[in-house]
Amino acid sequence: MPAHQDSAPQDPSHPGPRPEQVTELARLKAFTNPLRMHLYRLLHAAGAATASQLAEQVDEAPSLVSYHLRKLAEHEFVAEAPEHARDGRERWWRVANEGGFGFRDSRFTGTPEGAATTQAVAHAIVETRFEQYRHYLAQARAWGARWSDAATSSEWIMDLTADELAEMGSEFEALAARWRERAKAAARSGGGEEREHVSLHLYSFPFRP
């Protein structure tokens, strides 16, 4: 999924695909459109989908969704998935990198355009995540006690150096990646356990009281 910043140093125990690091401003600008960010997240969760299927979820016209998917494909964030098509008329899409993408503010904030772009994309990421969490909170009772008790919301306050903060972020990323790969392996084995999409949001940032 989208990561505001990539973690460093990288943990060698990190399994599975890593986030692709975006280094070109033109590519990052593709996500200044909030709908594209929403479509990317939905496609990441679904694994593969058509523009019509995604259009139903975002309440937009399939033609508009198809346009934005093509724009994301131009910047290599999504790719066609013809192996899912049942006939030549279907056009399926998937994310290009299962590990998602990340970027560093410092790579782009040297110019006004770069600074504005990183801020716009960061806001789009946060708003999309918060909207997803607000939607869960509104439906928490419908999930039942087992799932609502398993869901977590926590905050820790600590005093760290910048290097320690980066190291901690790398450890969290590796931990989440291990659970992701474990879940994939279990699903492939066909164990029959009840599984749902789970979204893990993690923010770490400096502040002064």
Side-chain angles (χ1 to χ4, degrees), residues 8-207:
Q10 290 187 337
D11 187 339
S13 67
H14 186 300
R18 294 179 181 271
E20 177 197 9
Q21 299 312 311
V22 177
T23 59
E24 299 172 3
L25 184 60
R27 293 192 69 206
L28 190 61
K29 287 174 70 174
F31 279 112
T32 55
N33 183 297
L35 179 56
R36 292 179 192 169
M37 180 64 69
H38 194 183
L39 293 171
Y40 181 88
R41 289 177 61 82
L42 290 173
L43 196 57
H44 208 297
T50 65
S52 295
Q53 291 170 342
L54 293 171
E56 292 180 1
Q57 297 184 64
V58 299
D59 195 26
E60 296 285 357
S63 58
L64 178 64
V65 170
S66 180
Y67 167 79
H68 285 299
L69 288 172
R70 292 196 303 272
K71 287 298 181 182
L72 289 173
E74 286 179 13
H75 294 286
E76 300 180 341
F77 287 111
V78 305
E80 291 193 52
E83 65 275 13
H84 292 276
R86 289 166 295 187
D87 57 57
R89 295 172 298 176
E90 286 189 329
R91 194 174 188 182
W92 285 71
W93 299 90
R94 60 172 176 81
V95 295
N97 179 21
E98 290 185 10
F101 71 91
F103 64 94
R104 285 195 174 279
D105 286 354
S106 59
R107 184 178 291 275
F108 301 105
T109 51
T111 67
E113 183 184 21
T117 298
T118 58
Q119 186 176 56
V121 174
H123 277 270
I125 291 173
V126 170
E127 287 300 321
T128 303
R129 290 174 180 169
F130 281 1
E131 179 57 34
Q132 184 183 34
Y133 188 51
R134 283 192 290 262
H135 184 70
Y136 161 73
L137 291 176
Q139 296 185 327
R141 291 184 61 186
W143 281 98
R146 186 180 178 200
W147 281 103
S148 62
D149 288 349
T152 60
S153 176
S154 305
E155 180 182 9
W156 297 272
I157 296 177
M158 58 197 78
D159 296 325
L160 301 174
T161 67
D163 288 343
E164 288 171 341
L165 179 59
E167 182 180 354
M168 184 178 67
S170 180
E171 290 181 6
F172 272 117
E173 181 183 313
L175 175 64
R178 287 196 294 272
W179 275 95
R180 180 186 61 197
E181 295 305 309
R182 170 177 164 173
K184 287 181 179 179
R188 287 194 296 267
S189 70
E193 301 93 345
E194 180 187 8
R195 293 189 178 275
E196 300 285 354
H197 293 308
V198 171
S199 184
L200 174 64
H201 298 173
L202 178 66
Y203 302 94
S204 59
F205 52 89
F207 75 98

